Amino acid sequence: MEYTKRDSIMVKGLAALCMVCLHLFCRQGTAVFGKPLIWINDTTPLVFLFGFFSEICVPLYSMSAGYAQQLMLENGKLSLKSNAKRIFRLLKIYWIILVLFSILGLIFDKSGGIPGNIADFLKSIVLLHSYNGAWWYLNTYIILLLIPYRFLFGIINKLSTKWGFAFCFCVEAAWYVVSRFNILPNIPDNMVILGFIGKELSNLIFVLPYVWAGAILCKWKVVERTRAWYKEHIQDKYYNLVVLLALTVLFIAINLIHKFVLTGTSAVITFILFNLLKKPKPVESCFLVLGKHSTVIWLTHMFFYMYLFKGLVFIARYPLLILLFMLFLCIITSYIVRAIEWCINNLYTLIIAKKGKCKESENAVC
């Protein structure tokens, strides 16, 4: 069975869910937001384990991006023009969110941090300033799409599946060591441009192994081949049981080892197992909804607990209810953003059509 666009949307839904879980339930130490009801021991709530495992959110997003780039190449649809269109679609959603929350900030933000001064707002339009910690990935994603394919995936294309994944892990591990022990020299605060370039380069190197892993998954049809092997060797009545058992073992192992360097490996295995799983219709529908709204969830969720509406979601008190309330607010926001985008698109179409009629009238007069 082919890996479809529907599968891709569900993976993005899983990534969005993991992102929210990470930010809510993996704080400093073993702290979480809300009042946990189940504890592993005196200091660690169960929900923290889900938060730590959810570190796979950025790798999942990045693998989806790498997979999409490779698939577009194979289908003859990859070009700078196609990537530019994808960038513009993303920026259009971002600009709507930026304006929407800046207006809300003028009304509700007593500190004046959002939108701040006019310079901050203008810099935010061109991604040189941020009102939200989760927005860092915007710059990185755009840079990824602007890098020509032969440069971005040149090394990976020469490697087999096994050696490709090994290379990705080595790069991830090397960068982990560099970051963990602060091997790179610090850039002085007064060197703004150099500091900005250094930060963006650092973020790019951080996500590259995951982007490459996504391309490998696509090029070598890893999901499809695994599905075929799995169906051949596992009876239907044990199909989901074995997948869920494997996910449980992975979840326990990652939390016991508790090393960030294994995030990429965990994400690749989760990607494959998640796509092996035969999801009941309600579960599939939930992930499709989350995937459909994943971009807005990513760009807005931090406003509802850290910025602007600080602490709003904590009204729900308990972790699961906080998570559901957060997703509810983000999805409602997504519908508002989509409605605004629809109005803008239709207004643009109307203006273009009107200009076309005016030209036809002028030609008729002539």
Side-chain angles (χ1 to χ4, degrees):
M1 186 185 297
E2 290 290 320
Y3 179 85
T4 64
K5 187 174 182 180
R6 193 178 181 87
D7 293 320
S8 175
I9 293 171
M10 285 192 283
V11 169
K12 290 178 183 176
L14 175 62
L17 178 63
C18 287
M19 179 179 290
V20 177
C21 284
L22 170 66
H23 291 162
L24 289 177
F25 308 132
C26 189
R27 314 305 301 168
Q28 188 173 3
T30 57
V32 302
F33 286 126
K35 184 179 180 181
L37 296 177
I38 303 174
W39 293 73
I40 301 300
N41 53 44
D42 292 340
T43 59
T44 309
L46 176 63
V47 73
F48 173 80
L49 304 185
F50 287 95
F52 181 78
F53 187 81
S54 293
E55 290 275 7
I56 63 174
C57 61
V58 170
L60 284 177
Y61 272 122
S62 301
M63 281 191 288
S64 293
Y67 199 109
Q69 290 288 91
Q70 179 66 32
L71 188 61
M72 288 175 69
L73 176 73
E74 293 176 5
N75 293 334
K77 296 179 180 178
L78 183 65
S79 65
L80 183 59
K81 184 178 179 180
S82 65
N83 279 352
K85 287 181 178 179
R86 294 171 70 189
I87 291 170
F88 180 70
R89 283 197 298 267
L90 175 59
L91 285 176
K92 188 164 56 173
I93 293 172
Y94 164 70
W95 287 327
I96 292 170
I97 291 170
L98 174 65
V99 173
L100 178 61
F101 279 87
S102 293
I103 292 170
L104 291 173
L106 289 172
I107 300 170
F108 296 106
D109 189 9
K110 296 179 181 178
S111 68
I114 301 175
N117 55 48
I118 190 66
D120 287 342
F121 180 76
L122 293 175
K123 285 192 291 184
S124 295
I125 292 175
V126 292
L127 305 179
L128 294 177
H129 180 267
S130 174
Y131 297 122
N132 188 317
W135 288 359
W136 69 268
Y137 192 72
L138 266 171
N139 299 48
T140 305
Y141 181 75
I142 290 171
I143 292 170
L144 283 169
L145 292 186
L146 291 175
I147 298 175
Y149 181 89
R150 63 180 179 276
F151 295 122
L152 186 60
F153 296 105
I155 298 175
I156 292 300
N157 281 334
K158 298 176 182 178
L159 302 174
S160 64
T161 309
K162 179 176 66 176
W163 289 109
F165 281 132
F167 178 74
C168 292
F169 178 78
C170 289
V171 173
E172 180 189 19
W175 188 245
Y176 170 80
V177 172
V178 168
S179 304
R180 176 71 175 78
F181 297 100
N182 295 317
I183 294 175
L184 294 178
N186 292 323
I187 299 174
D189 292 338
N190 61 337
M191 302 178 72
V192 179
I193 296 176
L194 188 60
F196 177 79
I197 294 172
K199 182 183 72 173
E200 296 305 327
L201 185 59
S202 174
N203 290 338
L204 182 64
I205 296 172
F206 168 59
V207 303
L208 268 179
Y210 314 133
V211 176
W212 289 335
I216 293 169
L217 286 166
C218 179
K219 182 178 180 180
W220 299 107
K221 307 294 181 188
V222 175
V223 172
E224 292 85 346
R225 287 160 58 189
T226 307
R227 278 175 176 167
W229 180 92
Y230 192 79
K231 285 183 178 180
E232 184 180 343
H233 292 83
I234 305 297
Q235 296 180 28
D236 284 345
K237 61 180 179 179
Y238 300 123
Y239 188 98
N240 269 0
L241 180 62
V242 175
V243 177
L244 290 172
L245 180 62
L247 280 169
T248 302
V249 171
L250 176 65
F251 176 83
I252 293 170
I254 290 299
N255 275 287
L256 285 176
I257 299 171
H258 207 77
K259 294 296 181 182
F260 181 76
V261 71
L262 295 176
T263 301
T265 303
S266 174
V268 170
I269 297 172
T270 301
F271 185 100
I272 295 169
L273 292 174
F274 181 75
N275 284 291
L276 279 181
L277 195 64
K278 290 181 179 178
K279 305 167 190 68
K281 283 294 180 183
V283 174
E284 187 176 281
S285 297
C286 285
F287 280 110
L288 286 172
V289 169
L290 289 173
K292 178 183 176 183
H293 299 286
S294 60
T295 300
V296 177
I297 293 172
W298 154 35
L299 294 174
T300 65
H301 72 281
M302 294 188 83
F303 286 120
F304 297 116
Y305 80 95
M306 182 173 286
Y307 310 106
L308 193 54
F309 303 107
K310 187 174 181 178
L312 174 61
V313 295
F314 304 144
I315 295 171
R317 193 175 182 185
Y318 299 104
L320 180 58
L321 296 180
I322 290 172
L323 174 63
L324 293 175
F325 188 31
M326 172 78 85
L327 293 174
F328 171 77
L329 290 173
C330 291
I331 290 171
I332 290 296
T333 305
S334 182
Y335 278 114
I336 294 171
V337 170
R338 284 172 177 271
I340 296 171
E341 183 185 17
W342 182 86
C343 292
I344 292 171
N345 289 341
N346 278 273
L347 181 61
Y348 175 78
T349 303
L350 186 65
I351 292 170
I352 295 298
K354 191 172 181 180
K355 283 184 177 180
K357 287 181 180 179
C358 288
K359 286 185 179 181
E360 287 177 7
S361 299
E362 288 174 5
N363 292 335
V365 171
C366 293

